[in-house]
Amino acid sequence: MSELDPSLPALVGLRCRCGTLRGQVDATPVRGRRAGLHIVCYCADCRAFALALERPDGLDAAGGTAIWQTTPSRVRIQSGTEQLRCLRLSDKGMLRWHTACCNTPVANTMSSPGFPFAGLIRTCLELSDERQAALLGTATGVNGRSAKGQAPAGTEATASLGTILRTIAFLLRGRLAGAQRPTPFFDANGQPVVTPRVLSVAEREAVRERDR
Ligand SMILES: [Zn+2]
Ligand SMILES: [Zn+2]
């Protein structure tokens, strides 16, 4: 399969459900190392993001969100940028990026532009099962203790030491490479490209209630 040849660039389409927002993610491995970390997060905040957008269809049977954590430098948005929106579950929360056109969850980032971190919501990635397995690898389930019902076997209750260390190493490598830039999520002044909307307490409560 030429598309899995590690010497070739592996570009993956990024697409909202309606196709207005489109982009490309460079998932090319570096010296045999995959370009990101593949997780399924069962935490209530990731689930609240999907529920706030009325998009529970993106969750798995136990309420998990599949995420490919890569660096912003690998993400390009090529059309539909004007549809990009940003949500925060609270005024201290992560920035949770989605589209206005069709309420598609797109990505999570930290609130500071200095982190070489973009957690792409996997449902936006245009990948065959085969390419997904090759480029993203098997997902590690995390925060299983917050799952709805029984998370799949092997899901970590929170995050194992191995998962934490892999994440720290990923962030350090990204920082050394300056991979927090370029970014489609922050402008040249380090501000989010759209002003985040923070859920009101009532909205947040309503979302939590629906998760019970
Ligand atoms: Zn859309
Ligand atoms: Zn989560």
Side-chain angles (χ1 to χ4, degrees):
M1 282 298 292
S2 64
E3 67 176 359
L4 304 182
D5 183 335
S7 64
L8 294 176
L11 299 177
V12 174
L14 180 77
R15 183 188 190 279
C16 69
R17 181 169 60 173
C18 79
T20 303
L21 184 132
R22 286 176 191 268
Q24 210 164 49
V25 181
D26 182 353
T28 311
V30 181
R31 289 186 289 279
R33 193 198 298 276
R34 289 195 181 90
L37 304 173
H38 191 193
I39 65 162
V40 179
C41 185
Y42 291 91
C43 89
D45 282 355
C46 285
R47 199 157 52 243
F49 178 37
L51 295 174
L53 296 177
E54 314 271 355
R55 292 300 305 276
D57 53 296
L59 302 172
D60 74 13
T65 304
I67 301 171
W68 194 54
Q69 301 173 326
T70 189
T71 63
S73 63
R74 290 177 172 270
V75 185
R76 301 269 184 285
I77 296 176
Q78 294 157 318
S79 68
T81 311
E82 73 286 350
Q83 298 296 332
L84 197 61
R85 297 291 184 275
C86 184
L87 187 73
R88 298 182 86 176
L89 301 176
S90 74
D91 57 9
K92 291 193 178 60
M94 296 182 86
L95 304 187
R96 295 177 185 270
W97 300 87
H98 65 96
T99 63
C101 43
C102 58
N103 274 4
T104 297
V106 173
N108 303 320
T109 66
M110 306 301 177
S111 55
S112 153
F115 283 88
F117 175 91
L120 302 173
I121 310 301
R122 200 185 68 205
T123 47
C124 287
L125 299 177
E126 299 183 288
L127 280 168
S128 64
D129 289 348
E130 187 184 25
R131 275 194 106 202
Q132 179 176 303
L135 295 174
L136 275 51
T138 309
T140 301
V142 297
N143 296 318
R145 71 177 182 190
S146 304
K148 303 295 285 181
Q150 189 62 48
T155 300
E156 299 170 0
T158 52
S160 69
L161 183 59
T163 294
I164 292 168
L165 292 177
R166 269 193 300 282
T167 305
I168 291 171
F170 165 78
L171 291 172
L172 286 176
R173 278 197 307 276
R175 188 68 205 201
L176 286 171
Q180 65 273 25
R181 284 190 298 266
T183 170
F185 304 111
F186 294 93
D187 66 19
N189 299 319
Q191 296 300 311
V193 292
V194 293
T195 304
R197 186 175 89 79
V198 182
L199 286 188
S200 69
V201 173
E203 286 174 314
R204 197 162 64 237
E205 292 291 304
V207 168
R208 299 276 187 230
E209 189 58 38
R210 282 159 55 206
D211 193 30
R212 273 182 199 116

